[in-house]
Amino acid sequence: DQQVKQNSPSLSVQEGRISILNCDYTNSMFDYFLWYKKYPAEGPTFLISISSIKDKNEDGRFTVFLNKSAKHLSLHIVPSQPGDSAVYFCAASGSGQNFVFGPGTRLSVLP
Amino acid sequence: EAGVAQSPRYKIIEKRQSVAFWCNPISGHATLYWYQQILGQGPKLLIQFQNNGVVDDSQLPKDRFSAERLKGVDSTLKIQPAKLEDSAVYLCASSYTGRGGAFFGQGTRLTVV
């Protein structure tokens, strides 16, 4: 049973435009969410987080939105740059629980 | 600040052989994780240590996998005997607290043939 889903395996976006990566979860006990970015042959790098007490968190070009009623979160990258091309993982956890990762979405930003 | 160090980077072994991976977390990080990432999937937690104690090993296949974190710093993960389905990248991560973003090492890519 996949508790964290990223239904788009890949996404291509033109440089300068917005990238929107989506993540859905099934466990209503999840209350803390992370996004990681992963380049080939490297470990995942923490990008941004959001707690369930918020519906938005922003850090530079990266914004994460959380819709608790829909059990959905999204990562917006504006403007997208070629260096943003990577695999993005969504991860979720509940209190006292470890993070469950989604399968990832490969983002390609085209120059 | 030095990152999470892992070795080796790559390992190829035959099924039924044994293998060990090593991890040195970021200095001062009490929490250490081992993840297994199979191609096309997200990382799956195998075991979490808090200092040298095990916090969560519910997804560790204990009949063949073992891990230890002596002295609450370095950690080793062992597989004995390996199966074909153990082919994956094994990631070590550490964090100062249990929540928040953990720092990952580059991983060890294991191929079992």
Side-chain angles (χ1 to χ4, degrees), chain A residues 12-54:
Chain A
S12 292
V13 170
Q14 209 66 36
E15 181 180 2
R17 306 295 289 267
I18 183 172
S19 295
I20 300 176
L21 297 105
N22 293 305
C23 177
D24 297 285
Y25 60 96
T26 57
N27 190 335
S28 58
M29 300 302 291
F30 286 155
D31 63 357
Y32 196 71
F33 306 88
L34 307 175
W35 283 95
Y36 281 89
K37 178 169 74 172
K38 185 183 181 304
Y39 292 121
E42 293 184 14
T45 303
F46 168 70
L47 202 53
I48 193 169
S49 65
I50 188 165
S51 161
S52 61
I53 61 173
K54 291 186 171 183

Side-chain angles (χ1 to χ4, degrees), chain A residues 31 36 41 43-44 89 93-94 98 102, chain B residues 9 37 42 45 48 56 99 102 105:
Chain A
D31 63 357
Y36 281 89
F89 292 100
S93 82
N98 278 298
Chain B
R9 288 296 312 276
Q37 185 178 11
L45 180 71
Q48 177 191 354
D56 183 354
R99 265 200 160 177

Side-chain angles (χ1 to χ4, degrees), chain A residues 1-17:
Chain A
D1 177 32
Q2 211 174 23
Q3 296 188 75
V4 179
K5 302 175 186 180
Q6 293 177 258
N7 291 323
S8 298
S10 63
L11 174 69
S12 292
V13 170
Q14 209 66 36
E15 181 180 2
R17 306 295 289 267

Side-chain angles (χ1 to χ4, degrees), chain B residues 42-68:
Chain B
K44 184 185 88 171
L45 180 71
L46 293 175
I47 189 167
Q48 177 191 354
F49 291 94
Q50 185 75 16
N51 296 308
N52 60 348
V54 175
V55 173
D56 183 354
D57 63 357
S58 57
Q59 298 191 90
L60 186 74
K62 298 181 187 62
D63 58 334
R64 298 184 301 107
F65 285 64
S66 64
E68 60 182 11

